Amino acid sequence: MPTTSTNPHLPFGENKNAEWYGKDILSVKQFTRTDLEYVFGVAHEMRGMVERVGTFDLLKGKILANLFYEPSTRTSSSFTAAMERLGGSVIPISEVKYSSVSKGESLPDTIRTLECYADVIVLRHPETGSAAIAAKAAKKPIINAGDGVGEHPTQALLDAFTIMEELGRLDNLTVTMLGDLKYGRTVHSLARLLSQFSNIKLNYVSPDILKMPKEVMEEVGAKGVPQAEFSSLEKVLPETDILYVTRVQKERFEDPADYETVKGAYVIDPEIMKAAKQEMAVMHPLPRVGEISTDFDDDPRAAYFRQMEYGLYVRMALLAMVLGKA
Ligand code: NCD
């Protein structure tokens, strides 16, 4: 949410009339197709700048609080890298056990604290809806970096940017999502986001107990997107343009015995991929725990490492946008 200052010199230099200035990023539902094109345009420019000059001063003097209540490698370090490549700095709180959270401090109080010191807060939390609770407590922008099994909007934005950079289009695609579609928040966000584009077909391949949640399917269905569920990949792999593989989310199972029945259900390897098109991409939000064989990593269709890099540019774009610099 926007902060107002009576002193015209503070805070300096941001465009408060910019559309995304001061906004929270909580869900992909906030992004229209035009917004997405804008984000991708800015991300593309960020890529060019990083390639040409590495680091520059667009967000000099700005501070990001990176608050992670759940483990993270890519999301937290790419937000840190994004802020630092833009000349800003970061308060990292990834070991909440060393913060006042371990003394029983509530999420709203922790957020109110951090916004005294930071201009924007990135939050990952195990509970669905936590980012919205944080945003209610905060005057500064909150960016949802994963709220339990809910959403992971910045991941979906970088996933869509990856599809654009890899295949050159977001329309006319058959996207097959594979693995843990029940607990995987990245696929919940990505399915919603892709439903904005034309001629999209979504295939969901999962074990029976890990199917895509009904509410996501209803939302996507309401946009007129055909969706089909399968338990095996065989039938849909040949028509697939994007194969989006996910990890079985062990930490979210109520009964560990259920995890044992589905772990290792699907493994992508060079042999299986013989049935896929040559012009397609295999994506994964990572970390992988065996769903994609390392033998496939050198295949040109393996896009998951490039996908991580694209995440940096998208997060640079989002930080610049909510801080009124894009
Ligand atoms: C994902 C997440 O945290 O939801 N990771 C990520 O942000 N790249 C996927 C996962 O943990 O499996």
Side-chain angles (χ1 to χ4, degrees), residues 75-133:
T75 308
S76 76
S77 57
S78 65
F79 267 113
T80 299
M83 197 62 185
E84 293 189 354
R85 292 234 171 248
L86 292 167
S89 52
V90 181
I91 301 171
I93 306 187
S94 41
E95 288 278 5
V96 285
K97 64 174 179 285
Y98 297 123
S99 74
S100 286
V101 170
S102 68
K103 301 179 191 165
E105 186 167 65
S106 69
L107 178 63
D109 281 4
T110 303
I111 293 291
R112 282 186 198 108
T113 308
L114 288 173
E115 72 173 349
C116 297
Y117 314 131
D119 302 289
V120 51
I121 299 171
V122 169
L123 172 71
R124 171 170 288 185
H125 193 280
E127 279 160 37
T128 305
S130 52
I133 291 171

Side-chain angles (χ1 to χ4, degrees), residues 74-75 124 152 155 185-186 247 249 251 285-287:
R74 272 150 292 271
T75 308
R124 171 170 288 185
H152 194 347
Q155 179 73 41
R185 54 194 170 199
T186 67
R247 167 179 77 90
Q249 310 271 303
E251 69 278 23
L286 301 176

Side-chain angles (χ1 to χ4, degrees), residues 38-253:
Y38 182 72
V39 175
F40 299 159
V42 178
H44 199 81
E45 278 182 29
M46 293 296 183
R47 181 183 192 177
M49 286 298 280
V50 170
E51 282 166 4
R52 282 194 302 278
V53 299
T55 298
F56 50 106
D57 277 349
L58 192 69
L59 295 183
K60 190 173 158 66
K62 297 292 179 193
I63 298 175
L64 158 72
N66 226 8
L67 176 60
F68 280 70
Y69 289 74
E70 277 190 341
S72 170
T73 303
R74 272 150 292 271
T75 308
S76 76
S77 57
S78 65
F79 267 113
T80 299
M83 197 62 185
E84 293 189 354
R85 292 234 171 248
L86 292 167
S89 52
V90 181
I91 301 171
I93 306 187
S94 41
E95 288 278 5
V96 285
K97 64 174 179 285
Y98 297 123
S99 74
S100 286
V101 170
S102 68
K103 301 179 191 165
E105 186 167 65
S106 69
L107 178 63
D109 281 4
T110 303
I111 293 291
R112 282 186 198 108
T113 308
L114 288 173
E115 72 173 349
C116 297
Y117 314 131
D119 302 289
V120 51
I121 299 171
V122 169
L123 172 71
R124 171 170 288 185
H125 193 280
E127 279 160 37
T128 305
S130 52
I133 291 171
K136 224 171 156 197
K139 293 189 188 72
K140 306 268 175 79
I142 301 290
I143 300 180
N144 181 4
D147 61 332
V149 300
E151 277 222 37
H152 194 347
T154 69
Q155 179 73 41
L157 292 168
L158 81 86
D159 291 341
F161 183 66
T162 302
I163 297 172
M164 197 63 204
E165 297 285 299
E166 294 284 317
L167 296 187
R169 67 182 197 278
L170 277 159
D171 296 307
N172 308 317
L173 288 174
T174 296
V175 178
T176 299
M177 299 182 173
L178 174 76
D180 186 346
L181 309 183
K182 177 179 180 188
Y183 296 119
R185 54 194 170 199
T186 67
V187 285
H188 302 165
S189 288
L190 185 59
R192 287 178 170 122
L193 194 69
L194 290 174
S195 69
Q196 304 221 24
F197 292 87
S198 316
N199 199 15
I200 296 289
K201 183 177 172 196
L202 295 178
N203 296 318
Y204 303 134
V205 182
S206 71
D208 202 44
I209 59 167
L210 297 178
K211 283 176 155 178
M212 184 62 93
K214 283 281 159 291
E215 75 263 22
V216 178
M217 287 189 69
E218 276 164 23
E219 277 175 46
V220 170
K223 296 265 173 70
V225 174
Q227 307 169 86
E229 297 182 283
F230 303 88
S231 56
S232 122
L233 181 62
E234 243 179 2
K235 207 169 140 209
V236 289
L237 186 58
E239 66 173 29
T240 297
D241 299 305
I242 295 291
L243 177 62
Y244 193 97
V245 186
T246 64
R247 167 179 77 90
V248 178
Q249 310 271 303
K250 183 180 183 184
E251 69 278 23
R252 305 206 194 276
F253 279 68

Side-chain angles (χ1 to χ4, degrees), residues 258-270:
D258 284 346
Y259 173 73
E260 292 303 318
T261 67
V262 288
K263 71 168 190 203
Y266 307 100
V267 179
I268 298 302
D269 63 18

